[in-house]
Amino acid sequence: MTNIERIEELKQEKNLPDEDFKLLLETITQNERDFLARQARMVREQEYGKDVYIRGLIEFTNICKNDCYYCGIRKSNDKAQRYRLTPDDILNCAREGYELGFRTFVLQGGEDGWFTGERLEEIIRSIKGEFPECAITLSVGERTKEDYKRWYQAGADRYLLRHETASENHYQSLHPPDMTLQNRKKCLFLLRDIGYQVGAGFMVGSPGQKVDNLVDDLRFLQELKPHMIGIGPYLSHPDTPFAGQPDGSYERTLVLLSVLRLLFPAVLLPATTALGTIAPDGREQGLLAGANVLMPNLSPKSVRKKYELYHDKICTGEESAQGKDSLNRRVESIGYHIAVSRGDSRIE
Ligand code: 5AD
């Protein structure tokens, strides 16, 4: 079987045997990647037309109790300059975002205990009170069922929690012993059962990752059936135990975006900041490979540089929400256009 045949089968069947996934990922050529991206784009346009959905990302705290070996805001990095936005700051970010045309706000942060179930609930209620037609997405890690329920009842619509890697041993090699893949998965299923639109995802090329691990990721996603899938290349950060490890592959990330589009035709798939960091036109190429969501930064300029998950994260102009005009032009230049809408998932 050739890779072209594999791609055609993947598109038809929305699936492939493990061995064919592996061979495709390992042996795909530039021409075959172009073919794959075209197929993914076709499916994306059948599902979502030319619309690109945008989310205003509010990185509201970089304080984190976790010590993930890959992450620049891990607890043990004492070089990180820590910050925490106030509830008022957060509401002001949403106000600015609304004016710019955002109808989804993503509240993302480290696992910061200051934001108790109750405090975050109040923040959700204040944003929903002022902008009832907007969607709120939370991305604040592993919390209790009670917190998740409380926030859902307060009006949160969606939750992003990347599983990072679906292979037990690989998960353990990326995280300290107090974090488990089992709890991560448990949280994802809980969130889905509560009623959130759920996003999972993984890093491409994280240290020690093998093709088998990527196949595990795809199989786990097939089991979870998330509404959203966030992936991006692993990018090394100098102040982590993984300093100096090679970055993930740009090309492989694009291939995986296309594979995900063919596997999950209706999924919401962002071209992420990490993709825009590894290549200057990474996010456009991501859209051309099947992605349909962008998540510009709405955080105050003064803190943007501090939310440094990885080295040299883009965070000055164009990628930010304030650079919306230029973002618009970039999206139009590849034949798509930014929708002013909540951009809900088409999955149940
Ligand atoms: N490189 C790329 N992505 C990273 N993330 C954390 N650290 C890095 C890194 N060094 C991703 C994780 C996390 C998301 C918010 O950012 O997948 O879930």
Side-chain angles (χ1 to χ4, degrees), residues 2-258:
T2 67
N3 281 337
I4 297 295
E5 287 166 341
R6 290 191 178 100
I7 294 164
E8 277 164 347
E9 176 173 331
L10 171 59
K11 187 179 177 198
Q12 282 292 314
E13 306 297 325
K14 303 178 183 54
N15 210 352
L16 271 186
D18 285 5
E19 202 47 40
D20 289 292
F21 269 134
K22 283 202 255 179
L23 285 167
L24 183 64
L25 289 169
E26 279 166 348
T27 67
I28 191 164
T29 63
Q30 183 57 52
N31 280 340
E32 292 162 351
R33 282 200 289 266
D34 293 343
F35 178 77
L36 172 64
R38 271 201 305 282
Q39 303 309 306
R41 218 144 64 214
M42 232 180 268
V43 170
R44 174 254 202 261
E45 289 178 23
Q46 277 162 20
E47 297 288 332
Y48 291 100
K50 304 274 185 187
D51 283 355
V52 172
Y53 298 141
I54 51 168
R55 323 298 192 193
L57 183 61
I58 305 172
E59 295 160 337
F60 67 94
T61 174
N62 72 351
I63 295 169
C64 192
K65 71 175 170 63
N66 292 330
D67 224 7
C68 309
Y69 304 145
Y70 47 84
C71 184
I73 64 167
R74 64 198 301 269
K75 173 178 65 183
S76 300
N77 179 11
D78 10 283
K79 292 202 187 150
Q81 296 178 47
R82 304 290 170 172
Y83 73 90
R84 173 186 289 142
L85 299 187
T86 65
D88 265 351
D89 294 335
I90 298 172
L91 187 60
N92 282 324
C93 290
R95 288 181 178 137
E96 186 171 352
Y98 188 88
E99 289 305 312
L100 289 163
F102 290 90
R103 296 297 177 266
T104 292
F105 304 114
V106 182
L107 305 186
Q108 182 172 95
E111 293 197 17
D112 176 355
W114 190 88
F115 291 96
T116 56
E118 205 176 339
R119 282 186 174 139
L120 202 49
E121 173 181 352
E122 273 179 44
I123 293 166
I124 294 162
R125 288 194 189 279
S126 69
I127 298 178
K128 274 281 175 172
E130 196 165 322
F131 305 109
E133 81 277 32
C134 292
I136 294 186
T137 305
L138 300 177
S139 179
V140 295
E142 299 176 27
R143 303 284 295 239
T144 62
K145 185 177 182 177
E146 288 65 44
D147 284 349
Y148 287 156
K149 275 192 178 161
R150 170 198 280 266
W151 299 331
Y152 187 74
Q153 281 158 9
D157 303 270
R158 310 184 185 134
Y159 204 103
L160 305 179
L161 182 69
R162 289 192 181 174
H163 62 279
E164 313 298 357
T165 172
S167 314
E168 197 68 59
N169 46 2
H170 190 224
Y171 191 93
Q172 282 168 15
S173 73
L174 300 179
H175 301 95
D178 64 320
M179 292 181 72
T180 65
L181 177 61
Q182 194 196 338
N183 195 55
R184 199 83 175 169
K185 288 185 175 177
K186 190 176 118 200
C187 289
L188 281 162
F189 286 107
L190 252 175
L191 289 160
R192 196 189 63 182
D193 292 344
I194 290 170
Y196 286 95
Q197 293 176 29
V198 171
F202 55 91
M203 290 175 287
V204 179
S206 55
Q209 184 181 70
K210 304 278 179 295
V211 208
D212 290 278
N213 304 127
L214 290 168
V215 175
D216 285 352
D217 288 322
L218 300 178
R219 297 301 175 213
F220 170 66
L221 291 168
Q222 287 178 311
E223 182 192 342
L224 178 67
K225 300 186 180 61
H227 305 80
M228 308 166 282
I229 301 174
I231 69 164
Y234 164 75
L235 298 169
S236 140
H237 190 293
D239 307 313
T240 64
F242 288 160
Q245 299 263 9
D247 289 346
S249 153
Y250 172 52
E251 288 77 17
R252 180 169 277 182
T253 306
L254 294 175
V255 166
L256 280 158
L257 282 171
S258 300

